[in-house]
Amino acid sequence: MKIVAKKKLWKYLFWLGPFLITVGLTVGLVSEQWGLIPLAFIITGIVISGLGIIWQSYQSNWWNRRSTQAGTNALVATLAVLAILGFINFLGTRYHLRTDLTEAQLFTLAPQSRELVRVLPQPVKVWVFDINQNPQDRELLENYQRQSSKFKYEYIDPQARPGLAEKFGVKDYGEVYLESGDKRQLVQTVNENERLSEIRLTSRLQQLTNSTTAKVYLLQGHGERQLSAGKGAISQAVQGLGDKNFTTSPLNLGETSKVPQDAAVVIVAGPKRGLFEGEVKALQEYLNRGGNLLLMIDPNTDPKLNSLLQEWGVRLDNRLAVDISGESVVGLGPAAPLVTEYGQHPITKDFGNGNSFYPIARPLEITSVPSVQATPLLRTKPYPNSWAESDLQSEKLEFNADKDLKGPLTLGVALTRKQTPKSISTPQAAPTPSPLPSPTTQSKTSPTPFPSPNTPQALPLPSPTTQSKTSPTPSPSPKTLQALPLPSPTSQGKASPTPSSQTATESRLVVLGNSDFATDGLFQQQLNGDVFLNSVTWLSQQDQQPLSIRPKEPKNRRITLTTTQANLLILSSLLLLPLIGFAIAIIIWWKRR
């Protein structure tokens, strides 16, 4: 009787465990405070329940049963699967791992966009004033948001929140605004035909978060490309510069006689007439004080820039670049070289084997010059696909070994020149221009090195009266020192260089043998716009400025079939293949019968 009473007592104690657990949970849920009392009830109940289960299994020899072992194994396996699934779900919540399997990476942000969002200095929010939430636009915004917690977005119904719509000045559905602090900017207006653009959003984001702007001057007065919309204009290129936070202005050196001090980049786009000698000297002085110049020179023109280019080891070939490979591939004529080979340079490093084309282009010849580092940017395909044609009047372009130059041809080059104020202040800064060889001799002989800079007459020297009036001042910065008049040779031995005069200054120059590629219509084709925008960005020497973002387009995988091929495909798929399967089934049935 006593043993039976003890068993009943343990049984009652076992039921006390679940009771205490229920009490603890009830106290915690009702009071919404999980303090000492509810936790004490829950822990005590768990301990009593555990002891009760152990005692019951010991009394009934439950652990040694085969059914218990099998059930335990199943329970452990189930718990392990649930734990693994929970761990995977935890990792998926905290860490976003996505793989874009499309060839053009249509659902992945460009590296420029990712880097810009990751280093946002302050929170940014995108407001989309639209009723409908387009899945494509939402996916793009979520891609931005994954890069940084400082990037947020929200869809707003203008009718439901008219005060907010009035605050932003919303006029129509689909307007997308970017807000950072007290700054607001319209990104674009989305509709059924035009979705939210990564290019525009990143450009506006760059403008909104970057307070610094660079001034770009475009030379005018010699038949250069028109800046406003029109035939052969570069208005789209100018708009692209504005989207990248550049400020553009025309520049007439015939009126100002020198490049403004705030010029980050000077662009000479397709001049049809030669520059005056004073204008060329103004560009030379601009480069000598650390300036940056983009030259886009078309064939059959002489801009009178030979003396400037010779200092950098560049010669404009008067022949026409011919490329017959693009004629059969994309329908381009032989006078529009298709470029797929690019130099290892920040301007073109992300181009891969993408396409860009240059209608009516001239080759460039590069010669090594001390203190100048040159990197070819654009190269045509090797001969026989491309060559430099000397007979520009012939309707049929054929290679002539006596006059023409075999490819590959260089159509663009980027150059840098490290220089110190000391080297600029000496009269050895400019070489004497030498006669350029004719196109005929260029194809037969290798280019000869340019003469060493040893003629002081190439630079304008100040008068003695000017020199006598200057008094010693604290050492200026390199760019200020380079802008000062050059001292006469007699005074060279009197002035001792200060430590700041040894600071190096880098000048940059990009020369392209074509300007048509940047004109309206062609600017947005393939990589043409990227070549222009990346060149200006690199020339501006702004490391924080991202390079251009190429639009992502899906590859055309459609198969074009003739009527005969389509009929054959229908017959084979709807008639021939089913008959073959039916015949095989009959043969198998007959053998097993």
Side-chain angles (χ1 to χ4, degrees):
M1 295 294 294
K2 292 182 178 180
I3 297 176
V4 174
K6 287 183 178 180
K7 289 183 177 180
K8 290 183 178 180
L9 179 62
W10 279 106
K11 190 174 182 180
Y12 294 146
L13 289 176
F14 170 75
W15 285 108
L16 183 61
F19 174 76
L20 294 177
I21 293 175
T22 305
V23 171
L25 292 175
T26 303
V27 172
L29 292 174
V30 172
S31 63
E32 295 184 355
Q33 294 181 357
W34 298 92
L36 180 61
I37 295 177
L39 290 179
F41 277 111
I42 294 174
I43 294 174
T44 304
I46 292 175
V47 171
I48 294 176
S49 300
L51 293 175
I53 293 173
I54 295 173
W55 184 80
Q56 287 287 348
S57 62
Y58 175 76
Q59 291 293 326
S60 60
N61 200 21
W62 185 70
W63 289 105
N64 294 327
R65 297 177 184 176
R66 178 175 295 181
S67 60
T68 302
Q69 295 176 356
T72 303
N73 292 336
L75 178 62
V76 171
T78 303
L79 293 177
V81 171
L82 293 176
I84 293 173
L85 292 177
F87 184 68
I88 293 174
N89 189 44
F90 169 76
L91 293 179
T93 304
R94 292 199 61 177
Y95 306 98
H96 299 279
L97 179 61
R98 304 170 70 250
T99 302
D100 190 352
L101 300 180
T102 58
E103 182 178 359
Q105 298 293 291
L106 298 175
F107 306 102
T108 303
L109 292 181
Q112 299 89 333
S113 301
R114 295 198 300 267
E115 183 63 24
L116 182 61
V117 177
R118 287 172 183 171
V119 298
L120 284 174
Q122 57 185 353
V124 173
K125 188 169 184 178
V126 175
W127 300 87
V128 183
F129 291 90
D130 202 353
I131 300 178
N132 302 319
Q133 299 185 16
N134 184 271
Q136 181 180 340
D137 296 346
R138 192 180 183 89
E139 176 68 20
L140 177 62
L141 293 171
E142 289 179 355
N143 283 342
Y144 276 92
Q145 187 169 305
R146 292 188 187 100
Q147 309 305 319
S148 174
S149 59
K150 295 182 179 180
F151 186 95
K152 303 293 182 182
Y153 74 93
E154 185 177 352
Y155 277 84
I156 298 296
D157 182 1
Q159 298 294 335
R161 301 180 64 179
L164 186 62
E166 184 179 357
K167 175 183 176 182
F168 281 86
V170 177
K171 298 179 180 179
D172 197 4
Y173 283 99
E175 292 187 3
V176 181
Y177 284 86
L178 194 62
E179 182 181 32
S180 178
D182 57 350
K183 298 179 181 179
R184 302 182 187 92
Q185 190 172 20
L186 176 65
V187 178
Q188 68 177 107
T189 301
V190 296
N191 50 52
E192 295 181 357
N193 300 323
E194 184 178 2
R195 302 316 321 163
L196 186 59
S197 168
E198 178 188 353
I199 299 176
R200 294 188 180 181
L201 185 55
T202 298
S203 298
R204 297 296 186 271
L205 190 62
Q206 170 69 19
Q207 294 178 12
L208 200 64
T209 57
N210 184 19
S211 57
T212 60
T213 58
K215 194 65 174 291
V216 176
Y217 286 92
L218 295 101
L219 191 66
Q220 298 289 288
H222 316 89
E224 288 87 357
R225 297 288 179 178
Q226 182 179 329
L227 305 185
S228 58
K231 184 177 180 181
I234 56 173
S235 62
Q236 292 178 346
V238 174
Q239 179 62 40
L241 292 176
D243 292 340
K244 293 180 68 61
N245 220 24
F246 289 104
T247 303
T248 58
S249 296
L251 173 64
N252 193 325
L253 288 177
E255 298 176 353
T256 61
S257 72
K258 66 177 182 179
V259 178
Q261 292 290 337
D262 63 344
V265 182
V266 174
I267 300 176
V268 183
K272 294 181 173 60
R273 297 180 295 273
L275 278 67
F276 294 114
E277 183 179 354
E279 295 177 309
V280 177
K281 288 183 178 180
L283 293 177
Q284 289 176 317
E285 292 174 359
Y286 170 65
L287 289 173
N288 288 340
R289 68 173 190 252
N292 309 285
L293 184 62
L294 171 60
L295 299 177
M296 299 188 296
I297 312 300
D298 295 313
N300 296 324
T301 60
D302 184 11
K304 306 297 183 182
L305 292 170
N306 291 336
S307 59
L308 183 150
L309 293 173
Q310 190 174 3
E311 296 179 11
W312 294 76
V314 180
R315 176 184 175 273
L316 300 174
D317 198 316
N318 292 323
R319 288 169 286 198
L320 178 68
V322 175
D323 182 7
I324 61 175
S325 62
E327 187 174 7
S328 59
V329 178
V330 291
L332 299 176
L338 178 68
V339 173
T340 58
E341 297 181 11
Y342 305 93
Q344 294 298 321
H345 191 272
I347 295 176
T348 55
K349 65 178 181 179
D350 296 328
F351 286 2
N353 59 349
N355 298 323
S356 61
F357 56 94
Y358 307 86
I360 315 298
R362 69 192 310 167
L364 307 176
E365 183 181 297
I366 314 301
T367 305
S368 177
V369 171
S371 75
V372 174
Q373 181 180 357
T375 304
L377 297 177
L378 313 170
R379 294 182 67 88
T380 64
K381 295 177 177 59
Y383 178 82
N385 287 324
S386 72
W387 68 88
E389 177 65 43
S390 58
D391 188 2
L392 305 183
Q393 305 300 327
S394 176
E395 296 182 359
K396 187 176 182 181
L397 299 176
E398 295 180 345
F399 178 75
N400 189 327
D402 296 333
K403 300 180 180 179
D404 300 338
L405 180 65
K406 293 182 178 181
L409 308 173
T410 300
L411 303 184
V413 62
L415 308 103
T416 59
R417 182 170 66 186
K418 291 283 187 180
Q419 52 192 359
T420 61
K422 180 181 178 181
S423 65
I424 296 173
S425 63
T426 58
Q428 287 86 14
T432 303
S434 61
L436 297 176
S438 63
T440 306
T441 58
Q442 280 297 321
S443 61
K444 296 179 181 180
T445 61
S446 59
T448 58
F450 291 103
S452 60
N454 54 8
T455 55
Q457 292 81 6
L459 291 178
L461 299 177
S463 62
T465 57
T466 307
Q467 289 295 325
S468 61
K469 294 180 182 179
T470 58
S471 59
T473 57
S475 56
S477 61
K479 288 191 176 182
T480 305
L481 182 59
Q482 293 174 22
L484 294 176
L486 299 174
S488 62
T490 57
S491 62
Q492 289 296 320
K494 298 179 182 180
S496 59
T498 59
S500 64
S501 66
Q502 303 300 325
T503 305
T505 301
E506 182 178 83
S507 299
R508 295 183 177 182
L509 174 66
V510 173
V511 184
L512 304 174
N514 177 260
S515 66
D516 283 326
F517 79 98
T519 56
D520 295 351
L522 298 181
F523 178 81
Q524 296 178 337
Q525 299 295 323
Q526 302 296 325
L527 297 177
N528 287 12
D530 297 84
V531 173
F532 177 83
L533 294 177
N534 285 6
S535 297
V536 177
T537 302
W538 177 76
L539 286 170
S540 67
Q541 303 191 32
Q542 295 187 92
D543 296 335
Q544 76 278 9
Q545 181 77 283
L547 298 179
S548 62
I549 303 173
R550 296 179 299 281
K552 301 173 183 178
E553 299 179 356
K555 295 290 184 180
N556 185 5
R557 300 299 184 190
R558 291 176 294 182
I559 301 176
T560 303
L561 300 177
T562 62
T563 304
T564 303
Q565 292 173 333
N567 294 333
L568 180 61
L569 181 62
I570 293 174
L571 290 175
S572 62
S573 58
L574 298 181
L575 182 62
L576 184 60
L577 290 179
L579 288 177
I580 293 175
F582 186 68
I584 293 175
I586 292 177
I587 293 174
I588 294 175
W589 172 80
W590 182 262
K591 288 185 176 182
R592 292 183 178 181
R593 183 175 59 89

